[in-house]
Amino acid sequence: MDGNLIRNFSIIAHIDHGKSTLADRLMERANTVSTRKLRDQMLDSMDLERERGITIKASAVSLDYNKNGSVYTLNLIDTPGHVDFSYEVSRSLSACEGSLLLVDASQGIEAQTLTNVYLAMENDLEIIPVLSKVDLKSARPEEVGNEMVSILGIKIEEVLKVSAKSGYGIDDVFDAIIDRIPPPKGTMEAPLRALIFDSVYDDYRGVIIYLRVVDGSIKVGDTIVMMKTKRSFLVSELGLFKPEMTAKGVLTTGSVGYCIASIKSIHDVHIGDTVTTEKRRAEVALPGYRKPLPMVYCGLYPSNNTDFMPLRDAIEKLWLNDSSFSFSPETSQALGFGFRCGFLGLLHMEIVQERLERESNVGLVQTAPTVTYEILTHNGAKVMVHNPEKLPPVNTIDEFREPMVEAKIILPVEYIGSIMKLASERRSKYIGTEYLSEKRAILAYEMPLGEIIFDFYDKLKSSTRGFGTLDYEFKGYVPEDLVKLDIVVAGNRVDALSCIVHRKKAEAKGRSLVKKLKEDISRHMFEIPIQAAIGGRVVARETIRAMSKNVTAKCYGGDITRKRKLLEKQKEGKKRMKNVGNVEIPQKAFLSVLSTEG
């Protein structure tokens, strides 16, 4: 195919600004999907995406569009909008030459809009600004257009106005894609170099890789080589996304499609690796992707210990489809064998857990999330701690460092006071305020990541009536006065409930936590003391009373010694039960750390 007739582009925007709906209209206008099969959010194929109304995975589709007698192949990659899935966005952008930047005409520029613009600029993409939802009664096209000009540095005449719901302005979008986005730059005669930007596992066909052909071409029957793993495979099927996988014999320079080559092991495929052919090997691999840095860690354990192996298989298959989370086996005294998993954020963690439970039918117990801390020991060594249980002995720690981020909050000006109060409670350092317009501003703070990941976003949304948006960027590790807070239930320390907190907040956190655990743990036949301790010092305690039975109810009158004998017998039985009995701690108790104040 003529490379000049190919355009590779993505749609980027803040969450809920209409990316998936615009993708639907583009597919409908290009007759990619028949009217009978067309449904809302066509590219959001996962049940979770449709239930939550958000895009989680980037999706690709090839559109054929006829302009002035020439049929152009437009490869669209629809991307997520939430900050936790920014790695999906960065991977998609590296497979494109241009981007549609979508801004809601009623909401205006938001935190993730700016982040996505910077990502597109880093990849040197042609950016086409699009003002969406212009048909809404609450739309402010002139005001938001001026915001885009002043903040993004674009010309007002470059901004397209569309309504994806009604189809208004869709032809202008197609014209802009063809006229403004450059064709792929690769060389057809060069040895094959194709970038793997995603992959999925199929029980019958093995690993299916999604690739963008940068140089050369690939055809069915070729033997391909993964440049990182040096493994060779015979190509059995190639094709494009229409949006279903549609077989095609050859993929040429600039094409975005899939490749099936009987790849049985998930460890043979790495996102960002370069594919070449065995006959004409490329000498230099493509740059690939910078490995994402997990921000939040938690333990995932099967609720039934016999499900450890099925859980491992499910995690490995999911990792193939979402390489932005990491995992390693670990053991807990309270929960048995499981995995320590790293995520890009709290929503990412929630989505992975839900996908694992749905796709593997394994019940999960999840421990409270924690961030990564940097420990400097007396002998000068640096230790990265993802799990409070792996903390070195206190007498060996020279400096305790926590991760700091630069947080940018975009909000209406009337909520500045309440958000400044909220930020000050989270040990933040004020950087400055920038006004986008008379009604909207950006607040910048330096803030500990540990203070953001739990409930800061929820409180931001409730304090600004849903209009506040948050984006943050990791800055480094800063020394702080932190301590490990242990939870002791019935005399046994529960490692899965340990957490690292600031010393000033430790007692309040401990009191709040034991109070919450008292509500979550059901009563047993024996008394259960719950304690919060820092080292050997107990800072808070609550007691769950034993379930009691009136053993003297049937004694009417008679000698008091008879009643006493029954009470003593009951007391002995409870004491024996306490010695051999285990306290059952429900799943919600392990997440109590999230919902406590302090």
Side-chain angles (χ1 to χ4, degrees):
M1 181 180 205
D2 183 0
N4 289 320
L5 296 177
I6 296 177
R7 299 290 185 272
N8 295 319
F9 71 101
S10 62
I11 305 178
I12 55 173
H14 188 84
I15 191 168
D16 202 30
H17 275 208
K19 295 180 297 299
S20 299
T21 309
L22 178 60
D24 289 347
R25 291 294 81 74
L26 293 173
M27 285 190 287
E28 186 180 22
R29 177 70 183 80
N31 298 318
T32 304
V33 183
S34 65
T35 312
R36 184 171 55 85
K37 289 185 178 179
L38 194 69
R39 56 178 170 80
D40 289 343
Q41 282 83 48
M42 273 293 295
L43 296 182
D44 291 345
S45 54
M46 285 165 50
D47 290 340
L48 262 177
E49 292 179 311
R50 305 190 69 76
E51 285 168 21
R52 288 173 176 257
I54 59 171
T55 302
I56 294 167
K57 284 292 299 173
S59 305
V61 62
S62 290
L63 314 171
D64 292 327
Y65 185 74
N66 191 320
K67 185 181 179 183
N68 300 330
S70 300
V71 179
Y72 289 84
T73 298
L74 312 178
N75 296 315
L76 155 66
I77 301 178
D78 180 28
T79 61
H82 197 279
V83 62
D84 283 12
F85 305 113
S86 56
Y87 183 61
E88 287 283 329
V89 179
S90 68
R91 292 214 317 255
S92 305
L93 295 184
S94 62
C96 300
E97 278 77 39
S99 222
L100 298 180
L101 174 68
L102 221 58
V103 178
D104 189 321
S106 58
Q107 301 284 342
I109 289 176
E110 305 208 43
Q112 202 58 26
T113 311
L114 294 174
T115 305
N116 287 332
V117 169
Y118 298 144
L119 277 174
M121 286 176 174
E122 280 175 25
N123 284 276
D124 201 22
L125 300 189
E126 180 66 39
I127 298 172
I128 300 173
V130 179
L131 205 54
S132 69
K133 305 186 184 181
V134 293
D135 58 329
L136 292 181
K137 287 182 180 177
S138 57
R140 305 172 285 122
E142 302 305 322
E143 191 181 325
V144 175
N146 291 333
E147 267 185 30
M148 293 171 78
V149 171
S150 61
I151 297 166
L152 306 178
I154 56 175
K155 295 174 182 173
I156 193 69
E157 55 269 22
E158 292 177 354
V159 179
L160 304 177
K161 293 180 181 178
V162 304
S163 167
K165 199 172 181 181
S166 65
Y168 169 75
I170 298 299
D171 286 339
D172 294 339
V173 174
F174 274 113
D175 290 341
I177 291 167
I178 292 168
D179 296 339
R180 296 195 212 172
I181 295 175
K185 293 176 182 172
T187 309
M188 187 70 182
E189 293 74 31
L192 171 70
R193 289 199 305 168
L195 176 73
I196 301 176
F197 67 89
D198 207 349
S199 55
V200 292
Y201 187 84
D202 185 281
D203 289 334
Y204 302 102
R205 296 186 284 184
V207 179
I208 301 171
I209 56 175
Y210 296 178
L211 42 80
R212 152 77 197 268
V213 181
V214 177
D215 289 316
S217 62
I218 178 174
K219 64 181 186 296
V220 173
D222 282 350
T223 301
I224 57 170
V225 179
M226 306 291 179
M227 292 188 76
K228 185 171 183 178
T229 60
K230 305 289 190 284
R231 295 295 305 274
S232 301
F233 302 96
L234 183 69
V235 176
S236 57
E237 187 182 322
L238 293 168
L240 303 172
F241 301 100
K242 295 258 179 193
E244 294 93 6
M245 291 194 293
T246 307
K248 192 181 179 189
V250 182
L251 292 180
T252 55
T253 301
S255 297
V256 174
Y258 69 91
C259 171
I260 300 172
S262 300
I263 306 169
K264 300 300 180 194
S265 171
I266 65 165
H267 301 291
D268 290 330
V269 175
H270 293 267
I271 303 297
D273 195 3
T274 303
V275 176
T276 188
T277 52
E278 198 167 56
K279 283 184 179 177
R280 288 184 71 203
R281 292 197 185 203
E283 292 180 7
V284 182
L286 296 164
Y289 305 108
R290 190 173 65 224
K291 198 169 171 61
L293 198 68
M295 288 286 155
V296 181
Y297 285 82
C298 81
L300 289 178
Y301 296 84
S303 49
N304 187 343
N305 286 336
T306 57
D307 285 338
F308 176 76
M309 293 306 287
L311 176 60
R312 190 182 72 175
D313 292 342
I315 283 181
E316 286 183 343
K317 285 178 184 175
L318 184 59
W319 173 79
L320 183 71
N321 190 233
D322 181 4
S323 59
S324 57
F325 89 95
S326 60
F327 65 95
S328 58
E330 74 167 5
T331 313
S332 162
Q333 293 174 356
L335 301 170
F337 294 103
F339 294 91
R340 193 79 189 163
C341 299
F343 309 92
L344 299 182
L346 223 56
L347 177 66
H348 187 209
M349 179 187 80
E350 203 180 309
I351 294 296
V352 167
Q353 184 198 357
E354 225 170 310
R355 284 186 70 184
L356 283 171
E357 287 188 321
R358 289 183 185 212
E359 293 169 20
S360 66
N361 294 320
V362 174
L364 292 179
V365 175
Q366 174 200 326
T367 64
T370 179
V371 297
T372 304
Y373 295 93
E374 189 177 83
I375 308 295
L376 191 64
T377 59
H378 290 312
N379 61 9
K382 273 186 189 176
V383 182
M384 305 305 288
V385 176
H386 310 308
N387 184 348
E389 277 308 294
K390 306 294 182 190
L391 202 65
V394 178
N395 58 353
T396 65
I397 296 176
D398 188 38
E399 203 169 66
F400 211 140
R401 298 171 179 169
E402 68 176 337
M404 296 296 286
V405 296
E406 185 180 322
K408 289 188 175 175
I409 303 162
I410 298 184
L411 74 169
V413 292
E414 61 262 33
Y415 301 116
I416 287 178
S418 59
I419 296 306
M420 281 186 154
K421 183 174 180 291
L422 175 64
S424 66
E425 292 167 0
R426 303 302 174 108
R427 299 189 286 120
S428 62
K429 180 185 169 187
Y430 175 70
I431 296 174
T433 304
E434 184 185 336
Y435 286 88
L436 302 178
S437 65
E438 290 179 7
K439 295 181 181 177
R440 283 156 57 79
I442 302 177
L443 287 178
Y445 283 96
E446 200 173 86
M447 197 180 288
L449 179 62
E451 297 284 351
I452 286 181
I453 64 164
F454 293 146
D455 61 351
F456 183 80
Y457 188 70
D458 293 338
K459 293 201 168 177
L460 167 69
K461 282 292 182 188
S462 59
S463 299
T464 60
R465 297 189 180 180
F467 289 108
T469 58
L470 168 74
D471 185 36
Y472 56 83
E473 185 183 345
F474 177 68
K475 286 296 174 189
Y477 290 92
V478 175
E480 273 295 351
D481 187 13
L482 303 170
V483 291
K484 181 186 170 194
L485 186 69
D486 286 316
I487 300 299
V488 182
V489 177
N492 297 315
R493 193 169 54 80
V494 184
D495 53 357
L497 287 172
S498 298
C499 56
I500 294 171
V501 292
H502 196 275
R503 192 181 294 276
K504 285 181 182 176
K505 293 188 170 188
E507 288 194 25
K509 181 81 173 176
R511 278 195 297 273
S512 181
L513 190 49
V514 294
K515 210 172 271 184
K516 191 82 175 62
L517 288 170
K518 185 183 178 182
E519 296 169 13
D520 291 340
I521 298 173
S522 55
R523 288 169 70 185
H524 288 53
M525 295 300 290
F526 49 88
E527 189 179 82
I528 305 169
I530 306 171
Q531 298 167 313
I534 300 170
R537 183 168 69 93
V538 176
V539 295
R541 172 180 168 134
E542 290 283 345
T543 305
I544 300 173
R545 288 195 306 113
M547 293 171 71
S548 56
K549 180 185 177 184
N550 188 358
V551 291
T552 62
K554 293 180 181 178
C555 297
Y556 296 103
D559 190 0
I560 189 66
T561 54
R562 188 180 169 208
K563 289 184 179 181
R564 204 170 281 156
K565 187 178 175 183
L566 287 169
L567 290 168
E568 289 296 325
K569 192 175 177 183
Q570 184 189 40
K571 199 172 170 184
E572 280 297 313
K574 283 193 177 182
K575 190 176 179 183
R576 190 165 61 248
M577 193 183 291
K578 189 176 180 180
N579 288 337
V580 297
N582 286 325
V583 179
E584 286 186 12
I585 303 176
Q587 157 74 68
K588 61 180 178 179
F590 290 101
L591 298 180
S592 295
V593 181
L594 284 176
S595 54
T596 55
E597 297 295 328

